[in-house]
């Protein structure tokens, strides 16, 4: 196969995952929340089990007027939703779906690349907050910056633990090195990574930057129509990326109970959707953390635990 054709197929596959998987997660969130909270609305659109709810939401966003505040910094205001989406698209390029060639672009420093591009998300928060010329948006942006910059540290430390255990920064290499007993050994790192990942994508209970009861809708207050929909899409893509990274780093990726490599992609997807379900469940089940609680959890709990996990990993590696 020509190199250009192989590259085209890989990019097309990543784009398909980028467009389809977040919509599946969004539809699942509608249904899970409807069942857990007894919501009737999402169960009616289209008839059977509300199958058309996501379509109805899309039509609603397309029909809404696209408004830009008069005092807004228009170029920055309009660019922010795209900046919110771009890091997750780049992250999906290097996350393996299965063994062999089932990855957009295998990189020897894939983990470093993913953590670097995911951190760009804070720019979208700050851009939208500043450019909106709205005090509620600015407050939400400052909260978001403090939250994202704080939780970057435990996220990176937890990922470093499993990279040290595997002896590589390659995401396919980490999956190849993974062993089932790592579920116990690296369990603290997995919990730390998962919690910090929730904070990075600003999902409840870590949604202080968009606290609707205090800040209208935080840094997204002035956004309408498709630009607002892009921010929501970025949230759902973030769920997919965090769930996929948790799967690849800590749950064995394509490893399943059977030694059939042909079904590796299926095990990966099943694990990703299982982690995504936990993310949705947490949104429904837990109240929003206050700013002081959020920062205390980061600096007094997650960071010390992540450092202790690094010491444990180093000791085990030396012993082996």
């Amino acid at each position: 196969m020509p190199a250009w054709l192989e590259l085209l197929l890989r990019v097309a596959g990543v784009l398909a995952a980028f467009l389809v998987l977040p919509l599946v997660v969004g539809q699942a969130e509608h249904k899970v929340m409807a069942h857990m909270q007894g919501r009737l609305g999402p169960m009616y659109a289209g008839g059977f089990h509300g199958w058309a709810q996501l379509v109805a939401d899309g039509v609603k966003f397309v029909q809404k007027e696209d408004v830009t505040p008069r005092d807004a910094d228009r170029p920055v205001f309009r660019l922010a939703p795209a900046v919110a989406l771009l890091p997750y698209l780049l992250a999906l390029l290097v996350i393996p779906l299965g063994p062999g060639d089932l990855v957009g672009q295998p990189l020897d420093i894939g983990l470093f690349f993913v953590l670097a591009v995911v951190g760009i998300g804070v720019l979208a928060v700050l851009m939208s907050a500043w450019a909106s010329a709205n005090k509620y948006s600015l407050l939400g942006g400052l909260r978001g910056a403090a939250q994202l910059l704080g939780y970057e540290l435990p996220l990176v430390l937890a990922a470093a633990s499993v990279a040290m255990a595997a002896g590589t920064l390659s995401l396919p290499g980490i999956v190849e090195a993974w062993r089932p007993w790592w579920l116990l050994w690296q369990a603290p790192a997995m919990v730390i990574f998962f919690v910090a990942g929730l904070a990075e994508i600003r999902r409840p209970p870590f949604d202080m930057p968009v606290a609707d009861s205090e800040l209208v809708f935080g840094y997204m207050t002035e956004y309408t129509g498709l630009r607002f929909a892009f921010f929501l899409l970025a949230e759902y893509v973030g769920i997919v990326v965090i769930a996929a990274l948790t799967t690849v780093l800590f749950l064995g990726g394509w490893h399943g109970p059977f030694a059939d490599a042909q079904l590796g992609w299926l095990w990966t997807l099943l694990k990703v959707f299982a982690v995504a379900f936990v993310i949705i469940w947490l949104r429904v089940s837990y109240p929003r953390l206050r700013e002081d609680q959020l920062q205390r959890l980061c600096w007094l709990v997650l960071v010390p635990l992540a450092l202790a996990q690094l010491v444990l990993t180093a000791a085990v590696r030396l012993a082996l």
Side-chain angles (χ1 to χ4, degrees):
M1 181 184 299
W4 66 268
L5 181 58
E6 181 180 358
L7 177 62
L8 185 63
L9 290 176
R10 289 176 182 272
V11 172
V14 171
L15 282 175
F18 178 75
L19 295 174
V20 173
L21 293 180
L23 298 181
V24 174
V25 171
Q27 180 77 346
E29 181 168 66
H30 279 108
K31 304 310 168 189
V32 171
M33 292 180 66
H35 282 293
M36 287 185 171
Q37 297 181 331
R39 298 186 179 190
L40 297 180
M43 309 304 289
Y44 277 88
F48 176 72
H49 213 260
W51 65 269
Q53 180 61 49
L54 201 63
V55 177
D57 286 341
V59 172
K60 175 185 70 176
F61 284 123
V62 169
Q63 290 179 336
K64 286 185 176 294
E65 184 180 3
D66 184 13
V67 178
T68 301
R70 181 183 59 191
D71 296 329
D73 186 334
R74 290 176 180 266
V76 178
F77 183 85
R78 293 172 177 172
L79 185 61
V83 176
L85 280 169
L86 182 61
Y88 299 123
L89 174 59
L90 295 176
L92 287 175
L93 281 171
V94 299
I95 297 178
L97 180 62
D101 294 330
L102 288 179
V103 57
Q105 180 60 50
L107 292 178
D108 291 337
I109 55 169
L111 179 58
F112 177 82
F113 176 81
V114 168
L115 295 176
V117 298
V118 169
I120 297 174
V122 67
L123 293 180
V125 174
L126 292 174
M127 288 170 65
S128 58
W130 172 258
S132 295
N134 181 299
K135 293 181 180 179
Y136 291 110
S137 297
L138 184 58
L139 285 173
L142 293 176
R143 285 183 177 184
Q147 175 174 318
L148 297 180
L149 292 175
Y151 278 86
E152 278 286 328
L153 183 56
L155 185 79
V156 171
L157 290 175
S161 173
V162 72
M164 184 187 298
T168 178
L169 290 174
S170 167
L171 292 177
I174 290 174
V175 180
E176 291 287 353
W178 183 87
R179 297 294 181 268
W181 64 278
W182 286 20
L183 289 172
L184 295 177
W185 176 36
Q186 294 295 324
M190 179 178 67
V191 173
I192 294 166
F193 184 89
F194 179 74
V195 172
L198 286 182
E200 285 290 309
I201 59 176
R202 301 168 296 284
R203 287 284 297 183
F206 302 96
D207 59 338
M208 285 295 294
V210 294
D212 51 332
S213 60
E214 305 166 24
L215 303 178
V216 187
F217 215 60
Y219 62 91
M220 294 187 284
T221 296
E222 298 291 353
Y223 283 89
T224 59
L226 284 177
R227 289 194 177 92
F228 182 76
F230 286 158
F231 271 115
L232 293 184
L233 180 61
E235 179 179 330
Y236 289 128
V237 183
I239 293 175
V240 173
V241 169
I242 293 301
L245 286 175
T246 304
T247 296
V248 168
L249 295 176
F250 301 101
L251 299 179
W254 60 76
H255 291 294
F258 308 109
D260 187 358
Q262 299 297 324
L263 294 178
W265 62 271
L266 179 59
W267 292 118
T268 301
L269 288 178
L270 288 175
K271 293 174 184 178
V272 167
F273 284 120
V275 176
F277 171 80
V278 175
I279 294 175
I280 297 170
W281 172 72
L282 288 173
R283 172 181 180 174
V284 179
S285 304
Y286 286 90
R288 179 183 302 122
L289 294 177
R290 296 195 315 266
E291 183 68 22
D292 61 315
Q293 294 173 329
L294 187 144
Q295 295 295 343
R296 189 180 299 116
L297 175 64
C298 174
W299 295 106
L300 299 183
V301 178
L302 296 185
V303 171
L305 285 178
L307 291 172
Q309 177 65 35
L310 272 179
V311 173
L312 173 64
T313 302
V316 173
R317 286 284 296 176
L318 289 174
L320 295 178

